[in-house]
Amino acid sequence: MEVRVEKLRKEFERFPALHHVSLDIRSGELIALLGPSGSGKTTLLRLIAGLEAPTEGKIFFGEQDASYKSVQERNIGFVFQHYALFRHMTVLENVSFGLKIRPAKRRPEAAEIKKRAFELLELVQLSGLEKRYPAQLSGGQRQRVALARAMAVEPNVLLLDEPFGALDAQVRKDLRKWLREIHDQTGHTTVFVTHDQEEALELADRIVVMSQGRIEQVGTPDEVYDNPNSPFVFGFIGQSNCLKVRISNHEVWFEDRPIGVPAPGEREGEALLYFRPHDIQILDGCGGCMAGVVASSRRVAGTRHVEVDVGSGHNPVEIELPPERAAGIDRSRIAFRPTKWKIFRP
Amino acid sequence: MAHDASQPQQRLARVGKATTEKPAARWALIAISLLFLLLMLFLPLTAVFVEAFRKGLFAFIKALGDPETFSAIRLTLIVAGIAVPLNLVFGIAAAWAIAKFEFKGKAFLTTLIDLPFSVSPVISGLVFVLLFGSHSVLGPFLQSYGIKILFAVPGLVLATVFVTFPFVARELIPLMQEQGTADEEAALSLGASGWQTFWYVTLPNIKWGLLYGVLLCNARAMGEFGAVSVVSGHIRGQTNTMPLQVEILYNEYNFVAAFAVATLLALLALVTLVLKTLLEMRYSAEIAASRRH
Ligand SMILES: Nc1ncnc2c1ncn2[C@@H]1O[C@H](COP(=O)(O)OP(=O)(O)OP(=O)(O)O)[C@@H](O)[C@H]1O
Ligand SMILES: [Mg+2]
């Protein structure tokens, strides 16, 4: 189901955790809320769920205004960061809970409930563990029980708060792929919170980048990575360099010279030049480029990371090269030029 | 070779010793504790039983069969039977409010719950005499409607409730605080009503702590003397609970009867102790969360 958030504001005892946030979540999409700690991701998710009441603003489920509906009425599936499985119930009882507690006229028959629960357990690859208690499961297994339990009620929207936050790296990776597969099979509209950009980039159809209670950018992983619309997003997603430069004559100047980066249509004056470490080209001579002294150079998996000192008063620039291109780099001076960049005003 | 192999073990043993007292000190401490327990607990307890059976089993049974004594036993059961469920409900409500909601005056409420622990039971009883006595405002007013509080069962229940209300609440507050609200939120998000959430999720989560609290609450409710003594009026066969009856019989030099009733209270204490130990053994982890006060 489509979910629309309109000018949502949330204050906790005068502390604003969300400022007028608006967001359209499309039916069937897998969308990630990404941002640093304290940026309001969980708050937004809980507002959509109805676990918190907004200070201002509206939430629509489809065409219906759900702003004043209770959690129960919204029919959502929520997966908590620490799973919140019912510890005195078996896996099967956990998964059936949402159906069993329905009032008689909306409750499926016992046999039907059991069948549904078993189907879900198969979907989350936990067949055979239905008699176990949560304490007898691994973290990854608990996570999957929590997901099955949330899906059992056929929710309008699935909300996951840092679903893999408490798991180790390898399990995270496996579950990530698996969640994508489940989503493709079931087609639930899904919102998940993460502060792991890699997870968001790999898993989501669209990413909502948040910072300090605001949405900075919404877009596909490609859009957000290739075309960040603010210094924050550029810095937060992927690696980046930021240089203080000057725009003059439709060109970017660094210190006292142009560096071969055109800036057509840009206003004259101070600016910040952002570029990714791998979006550069190494040059032999320097007529219109950046130059600096190699401060350090280390091999990371398939690439070489080189830190270049470009002058006092500036952050060192990090560049990445394929090892074969980096062969001659060890000489102390190096000249380069960004091939892709963004200019922001300070 | 053998010597080499034993080397690390010797070193370990020495490290181990350094963290404990010398054997002499250890034995002395244990002996003192045991002696103390023997003098202060075991001897009196034995004395109670010996005195109760001094004139034989028949006299013991006859003493318990006395109508006044019998009515005291009944009254104790009635008072505990009302006070404990009341405090069960109050304890859950207070713990729920304190552990799961944020509100002004929360710290104050928490302190208030401890009040009966820090006030002498006699004062607790006097509070009710002041509230409902013949010189108070409430007392004569209720009296005019034929409602008798002091020197009657309601007064006994009130005093007992007051003295025993911290038990359940104090057992549950840390337990519920530790468990947080995630389980409840999960149940609500799955469509459960507030009542279903409480019944299927909260209650099972706290049941051992709750049982533990009820057990202690009951032991105190049945054994309470001070507060109850003040509001009872000591009307024979009517407002005497077991502890009060023991005192009366003792003051009348009716030792066999006094100690016969006392054995019942001692038995209650022993049963409570055993159940408490069993609970602690079996559900130690859960109860441990609430053992921090
Ligand atoms: N119940 C609350 N009472 C007061 N302040 C709160 C409450 N919940 C959240 N906040 C505040 O709101 C802001 C946003 O919190 P939120 O939990 O949404 O962040 P988050 O993006 O989920 O962070 P994290 O990645 O650390 O989970 C934070 O500054 C937090 O301190
Ligand atoms: Mg969070």
Side-chain angles (χ1 to χ4, degrees):
Chain A
M1 177 174 289
E2 186 180 284
V3 176
R4 202 146 45 84
V5 167
E6 262 183 33
K7 303 214 183 79
L8 212 53
R9 242 177 88 73
K10 176 68 184 174
E11 283 180 10
F12 291 107
E13 288 138 30
R14 295 292 185 74
F15 174 83
L18 280 185
H19 310 261
H20 294 104
V21 164
S22 296
L23 177 66
D24 279 351
I25 298 163
R26 296 171 197 148
S27 188
E29 96 175 320
L30 181 57
I31 193 165
L33 303 182
L34 176 65
S37 190
S39 55
K41 309 179 294 286
T42 300
T43 305
L44 179 55
L45 201 71
R46 290 171 61 85
L47 282 166
I48 296 175
L51 291 169
E52 304 276 0
T55 311
E56 253 176 65
K58 286 193 178 324
I59 297 164
F60 290 90
F61 276 41
E63 287 309 304
Q64 278 198 330
D65 185 350
S67 314
Y68 298 102
K69 285 191 174 175
S70 66
V71 210
Q72 292 100 327
E73 288 167 327
R74 291 188 199 193
N75 188 32
I76 48 103
F78 203 105
V79 175
F80 293 82
Q81 185 168 359
H82 298 286
Y83 323 130
L85 294 179
F86 307 133
R87 69 202 85 168
H88 58 279
M89 295 184 199
T90 61
V91 167
L92 186 66
E93 286 165 341
N94 263 285
V95 176
S96 339
F97 182 84
L99 296 173
K100 272 194 191 155
I101 47 120
R102 283 190 180 170
K105 58 181 187 312
R106 289 202 302 125
R107 184 173 53 220
E109 281 177 21
E112 170 66 21
I113 292 180
K114 199 162 173 184
K115 190 168 144 259
R116 280 262 279 285
F118 272 102
E119 278 168 13
L120 278 164
L121 285 175
E122 196 178 321
L123 181 71
V124 300
Q125 299 164 0
L126 285 178
S127 304
L129 298 187
E130 63 274 356
K131 292 213 181 70
R132 297 250 189 117
Y133 285 89
Q136 299 166 321
L137 300 175
S138 73
Q141 290 168 334
R142 283 179 212 171
Q143 177 60 55
R144 287 182 277 163
V145 175
L147 189 67
R149 181 178 73 176
M151 287 195 298
V153 293
E154 291 292 330
N156 289 326
V157 49
L158 258 181
L159 305 166
L160 307 119
D161 193 359
E162 308 227 10
F164 313 126
L167 302 170
D168 69 54
Q170 189 53 47
V171 182
R172 283 176 87 112
K173 278 213 167 116
D174 294 345
L175 279 182
R176 220 188 270 172
K177 251 173 63 196
W178 165 87
L179 180 66
R180 181 74 233 183
E181 282 167 22
I182 297 253
H183 177 264
D184 292 345
Q185 273 179 51
T186 58
H188 282 299
T189 308
T190 307
V191 185
F192 74 100
V193 164
T194 177
H195 56 234
D196 179 345
Q197 42 161 310
E198 208 181 303
E199 198 164 282
L201 289 170
E202 184 180 324
L203 196 52
D205 294 324
R206 285 198 303 157
I207 298 177
V208 179
V209 186
M210 298 184 65
S211 156
Q212 299 183 2
R214 293 194 169 78
I215 291 182
E216 292 279 338
Q217 186 170 7
V218 182
T220 63
D222 286 346
E223 281 165 8
V224 173
Y225 189 85
D226 293 334
N227 220 348
N229 67 358
S230 69
F232 172 80
V233 178
F234 210 121
F236 187 68
I237 295 191
Q239 301 294 316
S240 65
N241 291 302
C242 169
L243 278 182
K244 276 181 282 179
V245 295
R246 199 159 38 81
I247 309 289
S248 184
N249 242 343
H250 308 297
E251 261 200 299
V252 175
W253 288 58
F254 179 70
E255 295 288 345
D256 57 352
R257 60 182 184 277
I259 56 171
V261 171
E266 284 284 343
R267 195 155 43 79
E268 303 268 310
E270 301 281 307
L272 293 172
L273 180 74
Y274 277 81
F275 58 95
R276 306 234 179 254
H278 53 79
D279 286 336
I280 57 114
Q281 124 191 74
I282 296 286
L283 303 168
D284 285 332
C286 201
C289 68
M290 303 216 35
V293 181
V294 174
S296 75
S297 155
R298 63 208 142 81
R299 172 78 184 262
V300 179
T303 55
R304 184 161 285 277
H305 291 203
V306 180
E307 205 177 270
V308 184
D309 199 352
V310 291
S312 64
H314 294 282
N315 295 328
V317 171
E318 176 103 5
I319 59 179
E320 280 175 35
L321 298 168
E324 67 274 11
R325 292 279 295 109
I329 280 298
D330 288 337
R331 63 171 192 251
S332 66
R333 274 197 83 76
I334 181 171
F336 63 93
R337 175 191 297 154
T339 52
K340 274 177 71 182
W341 62 87
K342 290 272 290 193
I343 293 165
F344 294 108
R345 296 294 169 165
Chain B
M1 194 65 201
H3 176 76
D4 279 352
S6 69
Q7 198 77 335
Q9 265 174 9
Q10 275 176 4
R11 204 173 303 136
L12 264 183
R14 227 172 295 134
V15 170
K17 258 183 208 162
T19 61
T20 56
E21 287 76 20
K22 292 206 176 67
R26 195 165 58 204
W27 286 115
L29 285 175
I30 293 175
I32 290 173
S33 322
L34 282 180
L35 197 69
F36 186 83
L37 285 178
L38 189 76
L39 276 176
M40 304 302 292
L41 286 176
F42 189 70
L43 279 185
L45 205 59
T46 322
V48 169
F49 281 89
V50 169
E51 284 298 325
F53 289 101
R54 181 168 293 260
K55 305 235 168 93
L57 187 62
F58 183 69
F60 176 85
I61 292 170
K62 196 167 148 241
L64 286 186
D66 175 71
E68 279 177 16
T69 301
F70 185 74
S71 110
I73 295 173
R74 212 187 52 172
L75 187 60
T76 294
L77 292 179
I78 290 174
V79 169
I82 300 172
V84 172
L86 276 181
N87 277 336
L88 174 85
V89 173
F90 166 80
I92 293 176
W96 186 288
I98 287 173
K100 313 225 166 179
F101 299 130
E102 290 302 324
F103 56 92
K104 285 216 177 71
K106 186 158 139 172
F108 183 61
L109 182 60
T110 316
T111 315
L112 268 191
I113 286 178
D114 283 346
L115 191 68
F117 278 166
S118 45
V119 171
S120 156
V122 177
I123 310 288
S124 313
L126 278 176
V127 168
F128 289 100
V129 172
L130 286 177
L131 265 178
F132 297 110
S134 49
H135 297 294
S136 70
V137 182
L138 270 176
F141 173 76
L142 290 172
Q143 188 82 55
S144 66
Y145 286 95
I147 301 170
K148 210 160 141 42
I149 304 280
L150 278 189
F151 314 136
V153 176
L156 294 173
V157 171
L158 279 178
T160 308
V161 166
F162 181 83
V163 175
T164 59
F165 79 63
F167 286 98
V168 175
R170 289 208 59 167
E171 215 50 57
L172 293 186
I173 290 167
L175 189 62
M176 284 179 145
Q177 267 169 344
E178 187 184 71
Q179 288 176 350
T181 47
D183 282 16
E184 279 79 14
E185 286 181 342
L188 293 174
S189 77
L190 290 165
S193 66
W195 178 246
Q196 283 174 322
T197 302
F198 173 74
W199 193 251
Y200 294 119
V201 176
T202 308
L203 203 55
N205 276 350
I206 59 168
K207 64 181 176 225
W208 300 118
L210 187 64
L211 203 61
Y212 193 90
V214 164
L215 196 68
L216 298 185
C217 178
N218 181 59
R220 181 68 189 268
M222 290 189 168
E224 175 56 26
F225 179 84
V228 168
S229 171
V230 176
V231 297
S232 144
H234 304 278
I235 307 169
R236 303 189 70 132
Q238 282 182 38
T239 63
N240 279 332
T241 59
M242 281 161 75
L244 301 181
Q245 183 72 5
V246 172
E247 194 205 20
I248 287 178
L249 292 169
Y250 187 82
N251 286 343
E252 290 171 346
Y253 303 106
N254 193 348
F255 294 133
V256 169
F259 282 106
V261 181
T263 53
L264 295 185
L265 288 172
L267 273 180
L268 170 72
L270 288 177
V271 169
T272 304
L273 199 67
V274 170
L275 287 178
K276 184 169 161 288
T277 314
L278 282 179
L279 268 180
E280 274 170 7
M281 258 160 49
R282 197 132 159 55
Y283 306 100
S284 51
E286 255 172 74
I287 293 171
S290 59
R291 288 264 59 87
R292 296 199 199 105
H293 53 255

